[in-house]
Amino acid sequence: MAEDQGDDDRSATLLPPLGARGRDADFASGSSGGAHLVIGYGNLLRRDDAAGYLAAESLAGRLPASIRAIAVAQLTPELAAELALARAACFVDARLGGAAGGLLVEEIFPDEAGSTPLLAHSLSPGGLMQLCGWLYGRVPRCWLVSIPGVDFELGLGLSPLARAGLAEAVRAIDRWSRSLEVIDLDRDGRN
Amino acid sequence: MNRQILIDPVTRIEGHAKITIHLDEENQVRDARFHVGQFRGFEKFCEGRPFWEMPGITARICGICPVSHLLASAKAGDAILSVTIPPAANLLRRLMNLGQIVQSHALSFFHLSAPDLLLGMDAEPARRNVFGLIAAEPELARRGIRLRQFGQEIIELLGGKKIHPAWSVPGGVRASLPEGGRDTILNRLPEAYATARAALDRFKGLLDRFEEETGIFGDFPSLFMGLVDEQGNWEHYDGKLRFVDSNANIVADGLDPADYSEFIDEAVQHDSYLKSPYYRPLGYPGGIYRVGPLARLSLCTRIGTPAADRELQEFRDRHRGTSTSSFLYHHARLIEILAALESIERILADPELQSDHLRAVAGINRLEGVGASEAPRGTLFHHYKVDKNGLIRWVNLIIATGQNNLAMNRTIAQIARHYIRGPEIPESVLNRIEAGIRAYDPCLSCSTHALGAMPLHVQLVGADGSIRHEVWRG
């Protein structure tokens, strides 16, 4: 779970909603590599923290074959191997704070060497990207979709805010995946 | 007034934690405590749920060792049904647990502890991590990842998903190994063996360098507890409990895990949600015991697979007199990876595995059940009481990390006593305290049932309560 730093602090990195044309194009511009990857993560027993996991789970059955969705409790090192094979990747997480319609999409980059808080068994998306680069010599372009949430206590079920954010995230990633499919078809056609 | 050194929390372990080191009037380390400040509400949360759902729910306690909870919970369900599960289901559950042991031990060794061991305890924190390891030994790091993937793949083949596979259920399992699954595992076994052997050789080659750490990283007498089979051999899924002392003398044997409350009690600290179990006949804190890889290797008569037994013999020959050191958890973990790989191969050769009789069907025949198995970090107990409709009325979980709590406290105290020489904690001491805790590979998301971030916060508190020195890391 990420924590919302507040609108002022985030204004520099906050990207337009996925519906914005320009951003869609950026979001869809996967580089070379294999399949596209969606990694949703969170703790299913911590209410809104589950939003990322549930998004990936929901997407798993509907995405085209060229896009793989993985739902995990936390980001573990072996995901670096999956990431290394991906053309582009989208992480989906919950964040504390935000308002309705406050889905955030931002391009993310590998953490700087040594800057990753090396927690026990899990990594941040940037840390995983860093690990991927160190181990396999390439890192795909990655985005982080973060779903606003308010309740991260022990329990099952999402708050209305997170539920709405989850639906929005699924739609956005679904749209992203369809645009990728077009790109892939075009590429195949040219080839 | 006594002085305190606070370390809050520890890096690279799950959940939130802090360490307080208590000094006496002469500034000598008197005691140390490992605190967990996260609310532990999971047992209450489960009340009212059907016991059938418990394996799926409890598997979500932890993203790293869901299989351990899945199996212990299903076994508690077996007890409520009063059934003996079909032999094939037994084998399949064992296979999944072995996959879990491989992946968890691989993560612990290659990604958490190897930086300490291969780069040295005095390497700067920015380098003494997995990235430093990759820079120094990229091939070893890659092989570690693939070994972890191998364990995960077994879990995925059986459970359908890497994490939280609600596959093991009261009475047995939902599905057998899918077609082709056996060959998939067998094809990857040679590489897994090679990685395990390479890691063992690498570790054994380093051991002489860590003679000092071996002597002070939790080297003290204690009991060891774990499951053994009917012959007293290494066991990871079923069997009876055995306690041995520091000289490997059997203190108690053939104990039914269902009777755990007769020989295990749990002390509660006012400043931690982590319970501290102890061996009841010796009282608190004299009944301190350790669980996990070092305990399992200390108490088993033999492992029961050839390569691992050779390593066990070498381990015992080599560490005679110091096998009470928690530093040797690392060595024990690597031997267990080898034991797990051999056991996987043995299970795959068992024709019973092909049986499609996977589940015993029964109703609720008892209103109480205990399930116990060996999680990678040690013995795990799930104890449920249900009503006549099978709804959970009461839950008690005894987690491996909790059972090692007293030993972790003593380890920190021993390290601090050896190295701290003034009102500050030098980086090198901090590194060693962290490494001492990591030897146990604690999983606080299990012990507190929560996940959390982990910067390192160290405070030195003087006799007057003022903070004299404070360090943040991470």
Side-chain angles (χ1 to χ4, degrees):
Chain A
M1 175 190 69
E3 193 162 342
D4 198 332
Q5 301 298 308
D7 287 345
D8 291 344
D9 293 342
R10 288 296 287 269
S11 57
T13 54
L14 192 150
L15 301 174
L18 275 172
R21 295 291 304 165
R23 207 53 228 174
D24 262 357
D26 282 352
F27 191 37
S29 60
S31 57
S32 62
H36 294 81
L37 196 60
V38 175
I39 304 176
Y41 61 100
N43 186 338
L44 285 167
L45 297 180
R46 287 276 169 184
R47 294 199 183 277
D48 289 353
D49 196 46
Y53 184 105
L54 295 172
E57 205 170 50
S58 167
L59 286 159
R62 66 168 83 176
L63 291 174
S66 61
I67 304 179
R68 187 160 172 239
I70 302 174
V72 290
Q74 55 211 66
L75 301 178
T76 44
E78 71 275 10
L79 287 170
E82 308 257 10
L83 197 59
L85 297 173
R87 184 176 295 170
C90 172
F91 293 91
V92 195
D93 190 14
R95 75 174 194 281
L96 180 60
L103 191 75
L104 291 182
V105 183
E106 55 193 315
E107 184 166 6
I108 54 173
F109 302 93
D111 289 347
E112 291 175 19
S115 66
T116 306
L118 288 169
L119 321 180
H121 305 130
S122 64
L123 294 158
S124 65
L128 188 66
M129 292 169 71
Q130 184 192 16
L131 185 63
C132 176
W134 277 69
L135 279 172
Y136 303 107
R138 77 171 292 272
V139 186
R141 284 190 77 179
C142 294
W143 287 263
L144 173 65
V145 173
S146 55
I147 299 168
V150 289
D151 183 358
F152 292 82
E153 295 303 312
L154 193 62
L156 293 167
L158 302 180
S159 68
L161 177 68
R163 204 161 46 242
L166 167 63
E168 196 183 345
V170 168
R171 280 196 301 273
I173 296 167
D174 201 21
R175 196 162 59 236
W176 173 62
S177 72
R178 276 186 272 113
S179 66
L180 290 172
E181 204 171 24
V182 170
I183 291 169
D184 285 347
L185 286 172
D186 285 351
R187 185 172 293 138
D188 290 346
R190 279 195 295 271
N191 288 340
Chain B
M1 184 188 291
N2 294 315
R3 295 173 179 181
Q4 284 188 332
I5 297 167
L6 285 177
I7 301 178
D8 179 13
V10 178
T11 55
R12 283 189 275 156
I13 57 172
E14 289 294 294
H16 286 270
K18 70 176 179 183
I19 294 168
T20 57
I21 299 170
H22 302 258
L23 307 180
D24 62 17
E25 296 296 342
E26 280 74 45
N27 284 339
Q28 300 300 305
V29 174
R30 179 175 56 85
D31 197 7
R33 297 280 288 275
F34 186 60
H35 305 255
V36 176
Q38 176 70 48
F39 178 63
R40 187 178 194 271
F42 191 79
E43 284 141 339
K44 295 297 287 179
F45 166 78
C46 292
E47 290 177 5
R49 316 286 305 195
F51 82 97
W52 297 100
E53 291 181 359
M54 288 298 281
I57 293 173
T58 57
R60 291 169 179 166
I61 289 173
C62 179
I64 294 301
C65 43
V67 170
S68 308
H69 291 285
L70 184 79
L71 296 181
S73 180
K75 289 182 76 179
D78 298 342
I80 289 168
L81 300 178
S82 287
V83 297
T84 299
I85 68 169
N90 188 303
L91 286 173
L92 289 162
R93 284 185 184 178
R94 283 177 176 276
L95 185 59
M96 184 180 266
N97 203 33
L98 292 164
Q100 163 87 343
I101 287 170
V102 170
Q103 65 88 2
S104 179
H105 283 359
L107 183 63
S108 171
F109 181 78
F110 289 95
H111 297 281
L112 304 181
S113 298
D116 293 331
L117 303 171
L118 296 172
L119 305 176
M121 300 286 170
D122 292 315
E124 57 178 306
R127 205 177 137 255
R128 194 171 48 86
N129 54 40
V130 72
F131 301 108
L133 175 69
I134 294 164
E137 307 215 18
E139 188 51 32
L140 187 71
R142 276 190 211 102
R143 290 174 81 168
I145 284 217
R146 285 185 59 78
L147 184 61
R148 183 170 153 78
Q149 279 178 321
F150 173 72
Q152 290 281 63
E153 192 168 4
I154 292 174
I155 296 168
E156 189 173 7
L157 279 167
L158 289 167
K161 287 193 281 184
K162 287 181 188 174
I163 305 293
H164 309 149
W167 163 81
S168 183
V169 290
V173 299
R174 287 188 194 276
S176 188
L177 198 57
E179 193 177 337
R182 182 176 171 279
D183 290 342
T184 300
I185 299 170
L186 283 173
N187 288 340
R188 288 197 61 178
L189 258 176
E191 182 191 340
Y193 275 127
T195 301
R197 287 181 196 283
L200 258 169
D201 291 343
R202 193 81 178 82
F203 180 81
K204 288 188 288 189
L206 289 169
L207 259 175
D208 290 342
R209 231 198 265 173
F210 293 99
E211 200 173 326
E212 182 174 286
E213 283 80 3
T214 306
I216 57 170
F217 275 38
D219 189 12
F220 50 81
S222 77
L223 301 178
F224 294 96
M225 187 197 78
L227 292 168
V228 289
D229 70 10
E230 288 173 356
Q231 286 77 44
N233 294 336
W234 184 77
E235 178 52 90
H236 62 94
Y237 167 76
D238 214 347
K240 301 289 187 188
L241 288 166
R242 172 181 281 182
F243 282 86
V244 300
D245 65 16
S246 305
N247 297 313
N249 299 312
I250 294 175
V251 173
D253 203 8
L255 301 171
D256 187 340
D259 299 329
Y260 76 89
S261 60
E262 293 177 10
F263 47 86
I264 293 174
D265 205 349
E266 296 178 89
V268 177
Q269 296 169 319
H270 72 279
D271 50 4
S272 174
Y273 285 107
L274 190 56
K275 294 186 285 190
S276 301
Y278 59 94
Y279 182 56
R280 186 189 281 268
L282 295 184
Y284 174 80
I288 176 175
Y289 66 89
R290 282 176 269 189
V291 295
L294 182 64
R296 290 190 287 258
L297 294 200
S298 297
L299 58 83
C300 70
T301 306
R302 50 195 280 272
I303 290 176
T305 59
D309 266 329
R310 283 194 294 276
E311 291 294 336
L312 177 64
Q313 190 56 52
E314 186 182 334
F315 176 89
R316 287 175 173 170
D317 292 343
R318 181 168 195 156
H319 303 307
R320 193 171 299 283
T322 56
S323 60
T324 49
S325 170
S326 291
F327 186 79
L328 300 176
Y329 267 96
H330 301 302
H331 195 171
R333 215 166 266 130
L334 292 173
I335 295 173
E336 283 204 328
I337 291 176
L338 192 55
L341 296 176
E342 290 184 297
S343 302
I344 287 166
E345 190 171 11
R346 186 174 286 177
I347 286 175
L348 292 176
D350 192 325
E352 191 67 57
L353 198 64
Q354 309 303 320
S355 168
D356 57 3
H357 183 35
L358 300 175
R359 200 164 169 181
V361 179
I364 297 161
N365 290 306
R366 295 168 61 94
L367 298 181
E368 189 169 357
V370 174
S373 67
E374 289 289 338
R377 292 158 189 81
T379 319
L380 171 65
F381 297 87
H382 278 219
H383 184 186
Y384 308 151
K385 293 179 183 175
V386 299
D387 66 15
K388 61 183 172 55
N389 297 312
L391 299 179
I392 295 285
R393 288 288 172 240
W394 180 86
V395 172
N396 190 33
L397 308 181
I398 301 183
I399 313 292
T401 295
Q403 292 174 89
N404 279 332
N405 192 25
L406 292 175
M408 285 193 286
N409 290 348
R410 200 170 287 189
T411 299
I412 298 161
Q414 191 176 31
I415 294 169
R417 203 171 284 133
H418 187 87
Y419 288 109
I420 291 180
R421 293 283 180 270
E424 294 191 355
I425 307 177
E427 283 281 308
S428 60
V429 178
L430 194 54
N431 294 348
R432 284 169 172 78
I433 289 171
E434 282 185 66
I437 291 289
R438 274 200 291 275
Y440 295 88
D441 193 24
C443 187
L444 295 183
S445 56
C446 279
S447 54
T448 67
H449 316 152
L451 300 173
M454 273 294 166
L456 177 67
H457 181 200
V458 184
Q459 282 187 323
L460 177 62
V461 182
D464 58 357
S466 63
I467 297 171
R468 296 187 175 186
H469 186 215
E470 192 165 27
V471 182
W472 290 88
R473 178 183 285 180

